[in-house]
Amino acid sequence: AQTVTQSQPEMSVQEAETVTLSCTYDTSESDYYLFWYKQPPSRQMILVIRQEAYKQQNATENRFSVNFQKAAKSFSLKISDSQLGDAAMYFCAYRSAEDNAGKSTFGDGTTLTVKP
Amino acid sequence: ETGVTQTPRHLVMGMTNKKSLKCEQHLGHNAMYWYKQSAKKPLELMFVYNFKEQTENNSVPSRFSPECPNSSHLFLHLHTLQPEDSALYLCASSPPGHDSGANVLTFGAGSRLTVL
């Protein structure tokens, strides 16, 4: 079974600075998807960024980028120019590409605080 | 709003009550999910439906009973719950296919359940 580990329960960043959230995962599969989801205090979880394992290029989405290291099974999220609205709980998630409507496995989450 | 609507947003019930949570999406997604989010615990997948058929029951107690009458609606029927069932129940959906949006979960805002 796949597992996802987020080793940082809480992180803090100064507004306008850069922060990196860590995620590692364990799988024996070669084709899969990795995600970062954000859950603000209002609770509705939204997608931040998505990475396909067969793509070597790291995904980017405006101020959000990932460092995907497939051999190391590492998938960190970098937030540049942090804004107050980035404060939320961030979840790393894994999903098998084999599973057409299957389950996503989530990490425990990292609570990010942004200081003005 | 993400396009996935959950009602009610808050529910308080006694252990002998019977209530239902509702989830609705009109995004054309084929798969729908129930997740349980408790404090200090990772997201727990409860049920998966693909084109109205249940494809996953993650060892959920029978006091939780899902129903998926069509691809747009998902219910979670609750009866004789325990106080430890108090949690945020999240509904999500995802589309078919393998394009850039595939496998991404779209979440509802959640139903906060308190069992007295």
Side-chain angles (χ1 to χ4, degrees):
Chain A
Q2 294 83 18
T3 58
V4 177
T5 302
Q6 293 180 248
S7 58
Q8 305 153 316
E10 296 177 350
M11 289 286 283
S12 170
V13 64
Q14 206 69 37
E15 196 176 3
E17 298 291 307
T18 295
V19 65
T20 298
L21 308 184
S22 300
C23 173
T24 58
Y25 58 95
D26 188 27
T27 184
S28 58
E29 298 176 332
S30 59
D31 197 11
Y32 49 86
Y33 303 95
L34 296 165
F35 309 86
W36 279 98
Y37 288 92
K38 169 186 176 182
Q39 188 178 36
S42 63
R43 301 197 310 246
Q44 196 143 14
M45 187 132 35
I46 57 172
L47 177 73
V48 175
I49 201 162
R50 173 183 185 265
Q51 176 79 42
E52 293 159 270
Y54 66 85
K55 288 188 178 177
Q56 292 188 336
Q57 187 173 9
N58 288 324
T60 63
E61 195 70 42
N62 299 316
R63 298 181 295 107
F64 298 88
S65 61
V66 298
N67 183 5
F68 173 48
Q69 301 289 328
K70 191 171 184 180
K73 295 179 183 172
S74 170
F75 183 62
S76 61
L77 174 70
K78 185 170 88 171
I79 306 174
S80 304
D81 185 26
S82 298
Q83 300 176 359
L84 295 177
D86 295 333
M89 181 165 269
Y90 287 82
F91 292 94
C92 178
Y94 171 103
R95 181 165 175 167
S96 169
E98 310 275 318
D99 210 342
N100 188 39
K103 53 187 178 181
S104 296
T105 302
F106 285 79
D108 290 0
T110 297
T111 300
L112 178 66
T113 302
V114 181
K115 297 179 179 176
Chain B
E1 283 296 325
T2 61
V4 177
T5 304
Q6 288 188 245
T7 54
R9 294 292 300 273
H10 300 273
L11 177 63
V12 179
M13 59 188 288
M15 289 192 285
T16 58
N17 291 158
K18 286 186 181 181
K19 296 285 184 184
S20 296
L21 306 181
K22 180 182 175 182
C23 177
E24 185 173 352
Q25 59 90 8
H26 296 286
L27 301 169
H29 292 177
N30 61 295
M32 296 187 76
Y33 312 78
W34 280 115
Y35 280 87
K36 176 182 178 182
Q37 187 176 28
S38 307
K40 312 280 186 193
K41 281 185 164 184
L43 253 66
E44 299 172 58
L45 178 67
M46 300 176 73
F47 301 104
V48 180
Y49 278 82
N50 187 21
F51 292 109
K52 304 190 302 178
E53 300 298 320
Q54 188 179 121
T55 58
E56 184 91 14
N57 177 341
N58 211 22
S59 303
V60 180
S62 60
R63 57 186 184 270
F64 294 92
S65 174
E67 179 191 0
C68 189
N70 54 59
S71 293
S72 299
H73 294 86
L74 184 65
F75 295 89
L76 187 63
H77 303 301
L78 316 168
H79 61 100
T80 59
L81 294 192
Q82 305 298 312
E84 60 264 29
D85 296 322
S86 299
L88 182 68
Y89 288 85
L90 293 170
C91 175
S93 67
S94 69
H98 298 280
D99 62 15
S100 61
N103 300 301
V104 175
L105 292 171
T106 300
F107 284 89
S111 293
R112 171 70 63 188
L113 173 66
T114 303
V115 182
L116 301 176

